Structures are given as C-alpha cells and as structure tokens.
Amino acid sequence: MKKPRRWRVNLLSGRSAALGLLGGLFLTGSIAGCMVAGSLAPEDSGTLLNMLDEYVAALKQGGEPVSFLPVLWQLVQVPLAAFLLGLTAIGVIGLPVLFAVRGFCLSYAVAALYRVMGVSGLLLGLCLFGVSALLWLPALLDLGVTGLTGAYGLLRRVTGDGRYPLAAATGRYWLNCGLCGCAVLGCVVVECLLVPALIRVII
C-alpha cells in the first residue's frame, strides 16, 4: 500500500524567494513611512529636528557631531537582531517584521525632514541616512536572506524533517555574517567622517 504523498511548501527555502519577501517588505515599510511622515504636522517632528539642530550646531562649532562607539552601537543593532533571529525558527516571522520596520524608520526620517524643510531637508536626510544605507542595506539584505533560509531550515527540523539542511552549518552562512560585520564598520567610518563633511557643504 502506497503512503499518501506529503505536500510541503518550500517557498522560503530558496534564496531568491527570501530576497523577494524581505525586499518587498522593506519597500512596503518604506512606503508606509513616507505616508505617515506626510500625514503628520511639521511640529510633530520635533524630536528629529532637535537631533538635527544639535548635529548642525556641533558642526558649526568645529566639533565632531558623532563619536565611534555610539554610532557603532546604533548601526549594529539591526544586523545583530537579524543574525540572532536567523539562528532560531522564530526568524521566519521575526526577520520579515524586522525588515518592514527598518524600511519604515529609514523612509520616515528622510520624508519628515523633507516635509518640514523642503529640498534642503531632503538633501540633509539623504546625507544623514542615505549615504550609509548604500553600504548597510545590501549587507543587511544578504544577511537577512541567509538568516531567513536558516530559520526556515530550523522550522522544518522542529516540525519533524530531521534531514532538512541547516544554513548555519555551512561556511557561506558565516562568511555572509562576516561581510555584514565589515559593512557595518564601513558605515561607522562613513557616518563619522564622510557624512559630517557632506553636511558642512550643505549648510
């Protein structure tokens, strides 16, 4: 007697599907951030503007507006969360949520500055948040894809498929983690050296 065929959904097992999912959610979060920033009154962006004023004031006084360790901690939080989620089955849900929130925060900050300050605010926002994003976003996507496939493998193991391969057991997984770490360090250098120089030109 033949055993009934067991159908499995392998949507998240492919890197292309994982990239499409995470990239789509990041874009969705970005669109939502723009919409929320556009619906708020200018005075509701007070905290962001205060931070910008402090940053610009430090530049005008000839000081350094940011320092290495605070910037490192700020930039490492999301990749670290993505790394940890990729080591658990919870990452199947947690990583998509993380990418949607990250996209929201990035676009909200830039859109809020544009709404309050116009074109100059857009330029400031792109310098403050967009330049380093050219480094951390590709690295985060690669880490997220690797983590999502790994989390899906763990989920399959938990649900009884003991032979399903684990991404964390491969050298590529840890290589991607190392590359993402290097990208974060590069972002810290950009935030501490390049971004202040660009802001000085704008202001």
Side-chain angles (χ1 to χ4, degrees), residues 98-187:
L98 179 68
F99 272 75
V101 172
R102 189 67 184 95
F104 177 92
C105 293
L106 176 63
S107 66
Y108 174 82
V110 176
L113 288 176
Y114 173 71
R115 178 172 174 78
V116 175
M117 303 175 63
V119 176
S120 61
L122 177 62
L123 292 175
L124 286 172
L126 290 176
C127 289
L128 286 171
F129 307 108
V131 175
S132 62
L134 296 176
L135 284 177
W136 64 252
L137 182 54
L140 182 63
L141 279 171
D142 187 54
L143 181 63
V145 167
T146 304
L148 187 58
T149 54
Y152 180 69
L154 289 170
L155 181 63
R156 290 284 294 267
R157 289 288 185 99
V158 170
T159 56
D161 191 350
R163 295 177 297 178
Y164 195 85
L166 296 178
T170 64
R172 181 175 182 176
Y173 181 88
W174 299 103
L175 176 61
N176 289 348
C177 293
L179 292 175
C180 187
C182 292
V184 169
L185 291 177
C187 288

Side-chain angles (χ1 to χ4, degrees), residues 25-45:
L25 287 171
F26 186 90
L27 180 60
T28 300
S30 299
I31 294 173
C34 290
M35 293 176 64
V36 171
S39 66
L40 295 178
E43 57 269 18
D44 293 332
S45 303

Side-chain angles (χ1 to χ4, degrees), residues 84-100:
L84 294 176
L85 286 170
L87 295 177
T88 69
I90 301 174
V92 172
I93 297 176
L95 281 166
V97 172
L98 179 68
F99 272 75

Side-chain angles (χ1 to χ4, degrees), residues 8-18 21 148-149 152 156:
R8 295 184 180 274
V9 178
N10 291 316
L11 176 62
L12 297 182
S13 61
R15 290 184 61 86
S16 298
L21 175 63
L148 187 58
T149 54
Y152 180 69
R156 290 284 294 267

